[in-house]
Amino acid sequence: MSSSDTLVATGNRAHSHGPGSPVPLQARSERPTSYDVADFAVPNGREEEWRFTPVKQLKALFEDAAGTETPKVDASGPEGVVFETVAADSLKVGKPQDRAAAVAWNHAGDAFAVRIPVEAELTEPVHVNVASLGARGFSHLIIESGRHSKAIVIIDHSGSGELGSNVEIVVGDGADLRVVSIQQGDHESIHLGQHDALVGRDARLHHVAVTLGGKVVRIGTNVRYAGPGGDAELLGVYFAESGQHHENRLFVDHEAANCKSNVLYKGALAGDHARSVWIGDVLIRAAAEGTDTFELNRNLVLTDGARADSVPNLEIETGEIEGAGHASATGRFDDEQLFYLQARGIPEDAARRLVVSGFFNDIIGKIGVPEVTEHLHEVIEDKLARTAELSESAKAVIGQ
Amino acid sequence: MATLEIRDLHVSVDTENGPKQILRGVDLTIAGGQTHAIMGPNGSGKSTLAYSIAGHPKYNVTSGTVTLDGEDVLDMSVDERARAGLFLAMQYPVEVPGVSVANFLRTAKTAIDGEAPKLRTWVKDVNKALADLDMDADFGTRNVNEGFSGGEKKRHEIVQLELLNPKVAILDETDSGLDIDALRIVSEGVNRFAAQGDKGVLLITHYTRILRYIKPDFVHVFVDGRVAEEGGPELAEELEANGYERFLKAGAK
């Protein structure tokens, strides 16, 4: 896949931000975190953590005031799972990393908790639906999996409002937890979310962020390890259309020894001002010997007028590791692939679908939750059909 | 009997310095049952001819006609040309990540035939085609051309040729980069295709080596965007002995 600077500001250059960089380079671990909103100034867009984000559209979620609605949260799951309402500060695995998360933390009220009991193996996924219905609201979810339990939790965010959210995830020692967070708000919706996961000793977290709708969606996913032997697989799929901004920020903090992290995010962009941002920070601290980490981001730009930014960062404080690497690539839709498929008789629209579904094929295979992968296939098909209509009408206009 | 007719074909490409004429009046008729070899030095426009017939958007046809059994090929989209019965085995087959060979072949076959192939015979046909080209059956699960060696890519092109079974096959330097074993395997595939009797083959090559395995009925020497000389197999023998020098001198006049 070719890379072009007109489409993309890629990473692998994290150590030289270049002229015009608004702030000095700061180690990821030194970035302030706080439960107090007053500790974060209202972002103006020049800050390192906000420079890719359209902050002007986010004023409502920066304001230190109660929400105008409470998002509707409902949940269902198989026998064994426990739902309850708990105080916001009952776990404190997460700590807000920016103003929006601090505002959400303070104004969401109590947290909604999903608990998977010790050694429980859930046969069906747990569903948590968070609907924000048109106003400004905040939510706080806690997912706590007990020692040696096994479960899948699907969080479905929908609606037309402006949502600030925090999700705290604890994976018990030896547990296997899959969390899929789907962001599929209406076209005008805004969602700023922070997910914090603490992975227990010899535990496995499989975290998937799927963003398919919303005007501005920015999800920060932070992973720490409570003990050695933890394994985090962090996957993401996004598809930004005209006027949509989809942003994912990862921070994997390796402090414990012999832990693994594997990050794979893939996104497609189509339409004018479709925008995606991916920031992948990995820190390997001095104590984290034996760490094995890799992160990869790929973007497929389907039409003119779209832009993908991708910045992987790796800070390494010990040489005693198994492996550490990152890669990032952004490419245009490859017309040679289209020609090759069409030259075998496959019509253009089917050929486009084949190429794009091929692009997402590996990551969708890794998600491993059939209802999610089926949904993804359907939504991607719909989006491609819309993209095809767009290019058809563009052709018609040119033809006149 | 299929007939591909190329008449006075002029083709240009856009460059930074404006359009550049590459084909300057090509006339060629390939009737069913015939194998034509087009030979010529680098830059003579051989590949441009192949890609122009297949409809690659990079090439602009400025005048002339291409018809297949009387139908206007130039008026068709790339996929319509393939469905009409044209096949281009490419010099540089394209990788399509995430799309398996099996899925690709079935999708192409369905598009060409207008209906999905019968599952039972299809799997058998695919496995036979792969085996005939000395490719393992597990190629079906690999992504299209991804991680294939140069020789595997070329053999995969011929697998497609045999499975899609067009009316006219255009082979663009299918022999380049092949070792002698692969060349023989690929040539046998082309010969099986041609042996059906009613198929046209347009074999584009820089070297005479492949003509020891695939016997052309006609040889055309391409120089400077048009056919400079035509003849039978004996013309290839002359090129083998003397190279293109005679034609390049003539072209320089």
Side-chain angles (χ1 to χ4, degrees), chain B:
Chain B
M1 282 287 182
T3 304
L4 178 68
E5 272 199 80
I6 301 158
R7 285 288 163 268
D8 195 31
L9 189 67
H10 288 71
V11 172
S12 69
V13 293
D14 292 328
T15 70
E16 284 171 11
N17 307 318
K20 182 184 177 205
Q21 198 71 35
I22 299 189
L23 298 188
R24 302 162 189 273
V26 177
D27 288 291
L28 206 56
T29 302
I30 295 134
Q34 296 176 350
T35 295
H36 292 246
I38 290 189
M39 309 197 57
N42 288 329
S44 58
K46 304 185 300 286
S47 285
T48 297
L49 177 65
Y51 280 84
S52 301
I53 297 169
H56 193 288
K58 180 178 158 192
Y59 300 98
N60 305 313
V61 175
T62 51
S63 66
T65 59
V66 178
T67 58
L68 179 63
D69 296 336
E71 298 280 326
D72 183 359
V73 168
L74 299 178
D75 199 36
M76 300 177 192
S77 64
V78 175
D79 47 299
E80 284 169 344
R81 295 177 197 208
R83 293 198 296 275
L86 290 174
F87 179 90
L88 170 61
M90 295 189 201
Q91 188 178 356
Y92 302 109
V94 180
E95 296 181 7
V96 191
V99 177
S100 71
V101 167
N103 183 12
F104 164 65
L105 293 174
R106 193 178 54 246
T107 306
K109 184 68 174 171
T110 304
I112 298 277
D113 289 0
E115 59 177 1
K118 299 266 178 293
L119 189 63
R120 209 141 149 222
T121 49
W122 175 244
V123 172
K124 216 172 71 190
D125 291 348
V126 170
N127 287 340
K128 181 178 185 309
L130 287 170
D132 283 346
L133 272 299
D134 201 22
M135 297 177 85
D136 285 341
D138 72 7
F139 268 92
T141 63
R142 292 176 60 179
N143 292 333
V144 173
N145 294 323
E146 205 177 36
F148 286 25
S149 70
E152 286 166 347
K153 285 182 180 174
K154 297 297 179 72
R155 282 184 273 155
H156 180 219
E157 294 292 284
I158 305 306
V159 167
Q160 295 168 51
L161 169 68
E162 293 208 68
L163 287 170
L164 301 179
N165 202 20
K167 292 177 180 169
V168 177
I170 302 163
L171 309 172
D172 185 21
E173 303 208 13
T174 298
D175 52 331
S176 64
L178 292 185
D179 65 28
I180 201 74
D181 287 333
L183 182 66
R184 183 182 48 77
I185 290 163
V186 159
S187 300
E188 284 169 4
V190 176
N191 288 335
R192 277 192 299 274
F193 169 76
Q196 295 172 88
D198 56 347
K199 305 295 184 182
V201 175
L202 182 58
L203 180 72
I204 293 172
T205 179
H206 183 75
Y207 306 102
T208 51
R209 192 179 58 150
I210 193 172
L211 302 182
R212 289 175 217 152
Y213 300 92
I214 301 172
K215 293 294 169 201
D217 302 299
F218 303 95
V219 174
H220 312 265
V221 182
F222 226 63
V223 179
D224 199 23
R226 60 164 74 88
V227 176
E229 192 162 321
E230 299 177 289
E234 74 287 347
L235 186 51
E237 282 156 31
E238 191 215 315
L239 290 171
E240 167 109 33
N242 303 324
Y244 295 113
E245 207 153 312
R246 168 163 79 85
F247 301 99
L248 290 172
K249 276 179 190 155
K253 269 184 214 166

Side-chain angles (χ1 to χ4, degrees), chain A residues 1 334-348 350 354-355 357-359 361-362, chain B residues 51 55-56 78-79 82-83 87-88 90 94-95 97-99 103-104 107-108 111-112 145 157 160:
Chain A
M1 218 179 278
D334 186 347
D335 288 333
E336 292 301 320
Q337 293 178 352
L338 198 60
F339 174 73
Y340 188 71
L341 296 172
Q342 283 190 265
R344 300 301 178 249
I346 302 168
E348 182 178 343
L354 204 54
V355 170
S357 65
F359 172 76
N361 200 22
D362 59 340
Chain B
Y51 280 84
H56 193 288
V78 175
D79 47 299
R83 293 198 296 275
F87 179 90
L88 170 61
M90 295 189 201
V94 180
E95 296 181 7
V99 177
N103 183 12
F104 164 65
T107 306
I112 298 277
N145 294 323
E157 294 292 284
Q160 295 168 51

Side-chain angles (χ1 to χ4, degrees), chain A residues 25-254:
Chain A
L25 186 63
Q26 177 192 42
R28 188 63 173 80
S29 52
E30 290 163 12
R31 196 170 298 164
T33 57
S34 174
Y35 295 102
D36 189 352
V37 177
D39 286 340
F40 302 98
V42 174
N44 58 29
R46 291 190 295 275
E47 302 83 358
E48 176 60 27
E49 66 270 36
W50 290 103
R51 65 191 178 104
F52 295 107
T53 318
V55 293
K56 285 201 180 88
Q57 298 179 48
L58 307 176
K59 284 190 180 122
L61 293 176
F62 294 148
E63 194 189 333
D64 189 5
T68 51
E69 70 156 4
T70 306
K72 194 167 164 289
V73 177
D74 58 73
S76 62
E79 205 170 319
V81 63
V82 177
F83 301 118
E84 56 186 338
T85 302
V86 298
D89 59 359
S90 61
L91 198 63
K92 284 195 163 178
V93 157
K95 194 170 180 186
Q97 302 213 339
D98 59 36
R99 184 170 174 104
V103 168
W105 183 278
N106 284 284
H107 296 291
D110 289 340
F112 183 83
V114 176
R115 295 192 201 284
I116 293 103
V118 169
E119 294 185 15
E121 294 208 5
L122 302 189
T123 50
E124 295 289 324
V126 176
H127 289 91
V128 181
N129 299 313
V130 180
S132 96
L133 299 171
R136 169 175 172 273
F138 304 100
S139 74
H140 188 168
L141 301 180
I142 286 173
I143 301 166
E144 212 173 348
S145 70
R147 173 170 37 86
H148 293 301
S149 66
K150 189 173 180 190
I152 298 171
V153 178
I154 300 169
I155 313 167
D156 202 337
H157 297 93
S158 64
S160 53
E162 298 179 48
L163 176 68
S165 71
N166 284 288
V167 179
E168 296 181 274
I169 300 164
V170 175
V171 192
D173 291 349
D176 180 339
L177 177 65
R178 285 175 180 246
V179 175
V180 181
S181 178
I182 301 170
Q183 289 69 238
Q184 198 170 4
D186 297 348
H187 196 66
E188 287 308 301
S189 67
I190 288 177
H191 182 182
L192 303 180
Q194 180 173 322
H195 293 215
D196 291 272
L198 183 64
V199 180
R201 183 188 177 104
D202 300 322
R204 181 174 157 78
L205 169 69
H206 186 94
H207 180 277
V208 189
V210 176
T211 301
L212 299 170
K215 188 161 74 173
V216 180
V217 181
R218 173 173 141 133
I219 303 296
T221 301
N222 310 305
V223 174
R224 290 179 294 129
Y225 297 85
D231 182 355
E233 179 155 45
L234 309 173
L235 306 175
V237 176
Y238 46 94
F239 195 138
E241 291 176 273
S242 200
Q244 294 182 333
H245 175 103
H246 291 175
E247 179 168 342
N248 289 282
R249 309 180 78 90
L250 285 296
F251 178 33
V252 184
D253 187 348
H254 280 280

